[in-house]
Amino acid sequence: MVSSMGLARISRVTPAQIRKDLSYFGRFGKQGRGYNVGQLLEELWRILGLNRRWRIALVGVGKVGRAILEYGGFDSQGFQVVQAFDVDHQIVGQKLASVTIRHASELEQRLREDPVDIGIVAVPAVEAQAVVDALVRCGVKAILNYAPLCPRRPAHVELRQIDPVLALQSMTFHLKALEQPAKRR
Amino acid sequence: MVSSMGLARISRVTPAQIRKDLSYFGRFGKQGRGYNVGQLLEELWRILGLNRRWRIALVGVGKVGRAILEYGGFDSQGFQVVQAFDVDHQIVGQKLASVTIRHASELEQRLREDPVDIGIVAVPAVEAQAVVDALVRCGVKAILNYAPLCPRRPAHVELRQIDPVLALQSMTFHLKALEQPAKRR
DNA sequence: GGGTGTGAATGAGTTCACAGCT
DNA sequence: AGCTGTGAACTCATTCACACCC
């Protein structure tokens, strides 16, 4: 068993926040006792949709795309790359991590025959919007985008960005502040 | 010239938000005219601390670390990797992108001799906390972390996470919601 | 007229605090 | 006694709306 206070210490949020958030989805605790760890974990997995496997299509098998295909960490967490596309004829036809790379021109046809839940975009910035549009047309509901721009998409399509340069740029403001003499806590 | 309305359309926020945010740092606009694009850009660069170069130390030169070293996108944005460390004797001594890889045991000494502003952590999860602690001891003020955990650090040290699996996991909740019949807008 | 900068109004999200269950 | 779940209070952020300037 664990109390909201216990969870709060671990996750560095307030106990009230823990209780409020959990109460949004149900009543998982017992007064006077706290939460059953195993039961809570299972409920959270279910709520977050992590108790099943998700099918992914990768577009762009350059440096980043190849790293994604060869990285074992997705599969073990229930995320399975089942299709991969690129425009480079040199690599089309190659098989990486049990996925055969197809030419991007086949993308829409193949995704209609064999739909996926999530698209990963690892193409140059100039191509990214067109790829996102194509994925959306094929019914993809979530996109993980490595291209350094924020593509337009319908409101119901979830988007997450992976952009290390932007992450660095978002820190320099605070670094600059530290250099000034009047440093506050 | 561009108005807050124009900026709002491009960036998909409200005009009021644009004006409020900019007013926090100064008065960059002219009534009836809007903002001078060039001048505004320069002010924002300065405010964000992007008008100078930042020195970076990379820890962990595995797959991810190597990709970072070989990626040209950092340098062109003013982020220069000037030191790199790993524990693997096979790669210590190698020179990648004009940076010689040093053994991790030399990290603290070398960072004190030749300080950096930012640390990039690309080591396995179990090592990450120790690396972050070492970087903090050397006066690093910002950390970009690729390890899949949230390391503890002093409040004044900025931290950004790059975690594709977490990004995927944070989308599945919404995907699951879409599957249910009662779909709202 | 057109558009900024800003106090006031509104809204979203967090914290408080306590009734009630174990 | 101990701790959850939750309405009420509060805090912080966003939006409104308008005086003022170009």
Side-chain angles (χ1 to χ4, degrees):
Chain A
M1 301 292 293
V2 64
S3 67
S4 59
M5 174 66 87
L7 291 169
R9 264 194 293 266
I10 297 168
S11 55
R12 280 162 277 180
V13 290
T14 65
Q17 188 77 75
I18 299 268
R19 294 202 301 277
K20 198 47 125 199
D21 287 356
L22 291 177
S23 76
Y24 184 76
F25 294 103
R27 306 165 66 142
F28 307 120
K30 298 253 186 291
Q31 283 107 328
R33 314 268 294 112
Y35 303 89
N36 177 307
V37 175
Q39 193 180 310
L40 183 60
L41 269 175
E42 186 170 320
E43 288 286 358
L44 291 177
W45 272 52
R46 188 182 52 74
I47 291 164
L48 294 174
L50 299 176
N51 56 347
R52 75 186 217 32
R53 294 187 70 74
W54 296 93
R55 293 163 50 80
I56 295 181
L58 170 68
V59 189
V61 192
K63 275 183 194 169
V64 172
R66 201 168 300 124
I68 290 168
L69 271 180
E70 287 169 354
Y71 174 53
F74 287 101
D75 210 271
S76 66
Q77 298 299 309
F79 297 98
Q80 194 171 7
V81 179
V82 293
Q83 304 217 38
F85 303 94
D86 204 294
V87 290
D88 184 352
H89 288 93
Q90 298 275 314
I91 61 172
V92 167
Q94 281 182 22
K95 197 167 177 177
L96 268 78
S98 79
V99 181
T100 302
I101 298 161
R102 303 294 178 189
H103 193 270
S105 58
E106 299 177 36
L107 185 145
E108 300 209 29
Q109 191 201 325
R110 286 193 177 268
L111 284 194
R112 285 187 205 288
E113 288 169 3
D114 191 24
V116 298
D117 305 293
I118 301 171
I120 299 184
V121 177
V123 300
V126 287
E127 325 278 6
Q129 183 64 60
V131 169
V132 167
D133 292 345
L135 289 170
V136 169
R137 277 197 299 276
C138 296
V140 162
K141 296 161 289 184
I143 291 172
L144 183 63
N145 176 38
Y146 282 79
L149 60 82
C150 190
R152 219 169 261 278
R153 82 282 182 191
H156 65 277
V157 174
E158 289 295 315
L159 177 75
R160 295 291 182 279
Q161 291 283 141
I162 301 283
D163 188 342
V165 173
L166 192 61
L168 290 173
Q169 289 174 332
S170 74
M171 291 196 288
T172 51
F173 168 71
H174 301 281
L175 299 190
K176 194 182 61 65
L178 281 181
E179 289 171 4
Q180 295 169 359
K183 171 178 160 185
R184 273 187 286 154
R185 251 338 108 73
Chain B
M1 301 293 292
V2 64
S3 67
S4 60
M5 173 66 88
L7 292 170
R9 264 194 293 267
I10 296 168
S11 55
R12 280 162 276 178
V13 290
T14 65
Q17 188 75 76
I18 299 267
R19 294 203 300 279
K20 191 63 115 185
D21 287 358
L22 291 178
S23 77
Y24 184 76
F25 294 103
R27 305 166 68 142
F28 308 120
K30 298 252 185 291
Q31 284 107 328
R33 313 270 292 112
Y35 303 89
N36 177 308
V37 174
Q39 193 180 311
L40 182 59
L41 270 175
E42 187 170 318
E43 288 286 358
L44 291 178
W45 272 52
R46 188 183 51 74
I47 291 165
L48 294 175
L50 300 175
N51 56 346
R52 74 186 218 32
R53 295 187 69 73
W54 296 92
R55 292 162 50 80
I56 296 182
L58 170 68
V59 189
V61 193
K63 274 183 194 170
V64 172
R66 201 168 301 125
I68 290 168
L69 272 180
E70 288 170 353
Y71 174 53
F74 287 101
D75 210 273
S76 67
Q77 299 298 309
F79 296 98
Q80 193 170 6
V81 179
V82 293
Q83 304 217 38
F85 303 94
D86 203 295
V87 291
D88 184 352
H89 288 92
Q90 298 275 313
I91 60 173
V92 167
Q94 282 183 22
K95 197 166 177 177
L96 267 78
S98 79
V99 180
T100 302
I101 299 163
R102 302 295 178 190
H103 193 271
S105 59
E106 301 177 35
L107 187 145
E108 299 208 30
Q109 190 201 326
R110 287 192 178 268
L111 284 193
R112 285 187 205 286
E113 288 169 3
D114 191 25
V116 299
D117 306 292
I118 302 172
I120 299 184
V121 177
V123 300
V126 287
E127 326 278 7
Q129 183 65 60
V131 169
V132 167
D133 292 344
L135 288 170
V136 169
R137 278 197 299 275
C138 297
V140 162
K141 295 160 289 184
I143 291 172
L144 183 63
N145 175 38
Y146 282 79
L149 61 81
C150 190
R152 218 170 261 279
R153 82 282 182 192
H156 65 277
V157 174
E158 289 295 315
L159 178 75
R160 296 292 182 279
Q161 292 283 140
I162 301 283
D163 188 342
V165 173
L166 191 62
L168 290 172
Q169 289 174 333
S170 74
M171 291 196 288
T172 52
F173 169 72
H174 302 280
L175 299 189
K176 195 182 61 68
L178 282 180
E179 289 170 3
Q180 294 169 358
K183 172 179 158 183
R184 273 187 285 151
R185 255 330 113 72

